[in-house]
Amino acid sequence: MQADVGLKKIASDLRVALGAARATTAGLSDEAVLELLADFEAIGRLASAGQVHTAGEVGVRSRPELGDGGLSRSQNFTSPVALVARVTGASARACKARLELGRRLRGAVLLGGGEGPAPFPLIAQRLEEGTLGTEAASGIVKQCIALADRGCSPDVVALAEETLVDQTILCRLTADETFRAAIHLREVLDPDGAEPRDEVLQMQRSLTIALAPDGMYRGKFALPPEQGGVWLSSIRAMQSPRVAGPRFVEGDEYTTADGRTAAQKNADTVTELIARAAGAEEMPRINGAIATVNVHMTLDDLEKGRGVGWIDGLDQPIPASTVEQLRCSSPVAATLFGDKGEVLYHGKAKRLFTAAQNRALAARDGGCVWPSCDRPPSFCETHHANEWVSDDHPPGRTDIDNGVLLCHFHHSHLHKSPWKLTMQGGVPHLIPPRWVDTEQKPIPTTRRRTIHRPAA
């Protein structure tokens, strides 16, 4: 009880100190603010050590062999995680981590009810001193246990514990750096363990995608190292600053110059990668055709640019603007229906631009023609400047004097925005909306450097 009273006094004093810090922080120098941050972190580490210690005690008192007499069940909780979460208000994930680390740091329960020697005494000591954080401690414990499970001697495990704890404290490593150091040391001490560990990871690989009630497709994935490397290297290559432009930080999210968050751009990049692969010559064919997306829409809606389209196999519709975008450059077989459901038109013989035409467009446009966009031709889609429903561009005509290169983002943006794109003198021009330019003067957009401008 005295310890409990002492902790309450410490908490009360800390509240006073926190209030004083909040009142004076704005007037502190940069160095003083960083020093204050470090002081609060030191206090937080000591508090976290206490959380882990007490959670470990709750875990021991709630162990399964105690049955209904265990602490958590006697308090009407199905698990110690639920009990700790209720008492602390922390998330189940955080409580589980505390219980796990607390259990790992305690010695085994002996037959007489006592406790055996602590398996990681140095980690426990540094935690109580506040010189080691709980996240770093968890990473070290995890890899030391992996070494023990692989049959490494207690001396080797103790050496790993000492090396990692000392390196973390002396080199002032972050928790992430400690995780990486622990994995590297594990491979040095147990090089033969890579194969069995990889077998476990390979069995855990997965990718699930399902339609959510809000119409979004959501899922989760788990990739072993080599597959994760393929994903990351491909995404990074397509998002290289040379082609992706600058990035800005807004809150906790990165945004790009075009306004997308990093997560949104990742989704667009993976979609673009899959679309490119689907159209590759070496891809498997179905009835002689590459992978296609079949979109159903009434002719009346398509001509008027309204309503929705329906993709085969999906329950959620897509808007008319997306249908228009897909018809420009995606391998889409569009099936058009009349008012009575009769098939009026199916597909177009020459809707997609040929490889030779795309090479000519690349030479002419130099990449995405949208102002300030620096996506190269290899990252672009071909857009029909004058849509197929217009009087001067009848169905089936796909000519280079009607084609324009746009990156996926600006292609989608054009179909949904009031901006218009036309061809004038063989050069693509953007027509801004009236709120941008009341005269709606066409803006030449090509990056080609050999166009002759008329003399002033």
Side-chain angles (χ1 to χ4, degrees):
M1 185 63 69
Q2 289 180 348
D4 183 53
V5 172
L7 289 176
K8 283 183 170 55
K9 177 66 167 57
I10 292 173
S12 177
D13 293 342
L14 186 57
R15 279 191 288 271
V16 174
L18 179 58
R22 280 187 174 181
T24 60
T25 299
L28 296 177
S29 65
D30 292 348
E31 292 77 8
V33 169
L34 294 178
E35 185 177 353
L36 184 63
L37 179 67
D39 290 341
F40 275 118
E41 178 62 24
I43 294 171
R45 284 187 175 185
L46 291 171
S48 295
Q51 291 172 334
V52 168
H53 175 74
T54 51
E57 184 65 26
V58 170
V60 168
R61 298 188 183 195
S62 303
R63 60 191 188 277
E65 58 265 30
L66 296 178
D68 291 338
L71 179 57
S72 58
R73 296 185 66 172
S74 67
Q75 297 292 321
N76 297 317
F77 288 91
T78 57
S79 69
V81 173
L83 172 58
V84 174
R86 176 60 60 187
V87 172
T88 64
S91 68
R93 181 178 180 180
C95 295
K96 183 177 181 181
R98 293 177 193 174
L99 282 159
E100 181 68 13
L101 181 56
R103 180 179 68 84
R104 296 289 193 183
L105 294 178
R106 294 177 64 94
V109 177
L110 304 178
L111 292 177
E115 182 179 332
F120 303 107
L122 185 58
I123 294 175
Q125 179 185 344
R126 296 294 182 257
L127 277 176
E128 292 177 2
E129 294 173 352
T131 54
L132 184 68
T134 55
E135 288 182 297
S138 295
I140 297 173
V141 167
K142 180 179 179 180
Q143 300 309 329
C144 286
I145 289 175
L147 289 171
D149 291 343
R150 281 282 301 161
C152 292
S153 68
D155 290 342
V156 170
V157 175
L159 175 62
E161 176 191 6
E162 181 180 359
T163 300
L164 291 170
V165 169
D166 289 347
Q167 185 178 2
T168 298
I169 296 173
L170 295 176
C171 299
R172 302 177 64 86
L173 301 183
T174 66
D176 291 333
E177 290 170 335
T178 298
F179 296 158
R180 290 192 288 270
I183 291 173
H184 178 73
L185 182 61
R186 179 198 68 191
E187 298 304 322
V188 170
L189 297 176
D190 181 30
D192 294 333
E195 286 292 341
R197 278 191 291 270
D198 186 67
E199 290 177 7
V200 173
L201 296 179
Q202 294 293 341
M203 293 298 294
Q204 293 175 343
R205 72 188 187 279
S206 65
L207 171 63
T208 58
I209 303 175
L211 177 62
D214 61 358
M216 291 288 285
Y217 278 81
R218 305 183 188 278
K220 60 182 181 179
F221 65 90
L223 304 174
E226 79 282 2
Q227 290 185 351
V230 172
W231 282 46
L232 286 177
S233 61
S234 300
I235 291 173
R236 287 168 180 163
M238 295 187 70
Q239 294 183 1
S240 168
R242 293 185 178 181
V243 294
R247 298 193 302 171
F248 309 95
V249 177
E250 292 185 1
D252 293 332
E253 285 278 5
Y254 274 108
T255 61
T256 55
D258 55 38
R260 290 175 290 173
T261 65
Q264 290 170 336
K265 194 166 186 182
N266 285 342
D268 292 346
T269 301
V270 172
T271 301
E272 186 175 347
L273 281 167
I274 294 174
R276 287 195 193 188
E281 287 298 324
E282 61 270 20
M283 282 295 289
R285 297 296 197 264
I286 300 177
N287 295 328
I290 62 174
T292 59
V293 178
N294 292 297
V295 179
H296 300 252
M297 193 175 192
T298 66
L299 180 60
D300 184 58
D301 283 347
L302 185 61
E303 288 178 338
K304 295 179 179 178
R306 68 182 185 190
V308 297
W310 301 89
I311 297 177
D312 279 353
L314 305 185
D315 296 327
Q316 293 292 325
I318 57 176
S321 60
T322 301
V323 175
E324 291 178 5
Q325 176 194 345
L326 289 172
R327 288 184 59 76
C328 281
S329 59
S330 298
V332 177
T335 304
L336 310 180
F337 293 90
D339 294 336
K340 297 180 181 179
E342 69 276 21
V343 176
L344 300 179
Y345 186 76
H346 183 81
K348 289 173 70 175
K350 296 293 182 183
R351 178 177 56 80
L352 299 183
F353 286 82
T354 66
Q357 288 175 318
N358 282 324
R359 285 194 295 270
L361 291 173
R364 185 196 70 194
D365 294 341
C368 178
V369 300
W370 201 273
S372 78
C373 183
D374 57 2
R375 281 286 203 180
S378 60
F379 290 79
C380 291
E381 301 169 352
T382 312
H383 168 75
H384 292 85
N386 298 313
E387 298 300 334
W388 73 276
V389 295
S390 64
D391 294 335
D392 60 346
H393 184 60
R397 195 178 144 212
T398 300
D399 300 330
I400 59 174
D401 60 359
N402 191 51
V404 179
L405 293 185
L406 289 167
C407 68
H408 178 79
F409 172 76
H410 285 119
H411 192 183
S412 174
H413 177 69
L414 179 65
H415 279 285
K416 299 174 183 178
S417 74
W419 288 79
K420 303 299 179 185
L421 196 150
T422 63
M423 299 295 294
Q424 297 186 10
V427 177
H429 285 66
L430 274 172
I431 300 177
R434 290 192 181 278
W435 60 267
V436 174
D437 179 6
T438 56
E439 298 181 3
Q440 292 189 291
K441 236 173 157 180
I443 306 169
T445 60
T446 184
R447 285 192 268 163
R448 181 179 172 186
R449 293 172 291 180
T450 56
I451 294 177
H452 296 287
R453 304 290 181 188

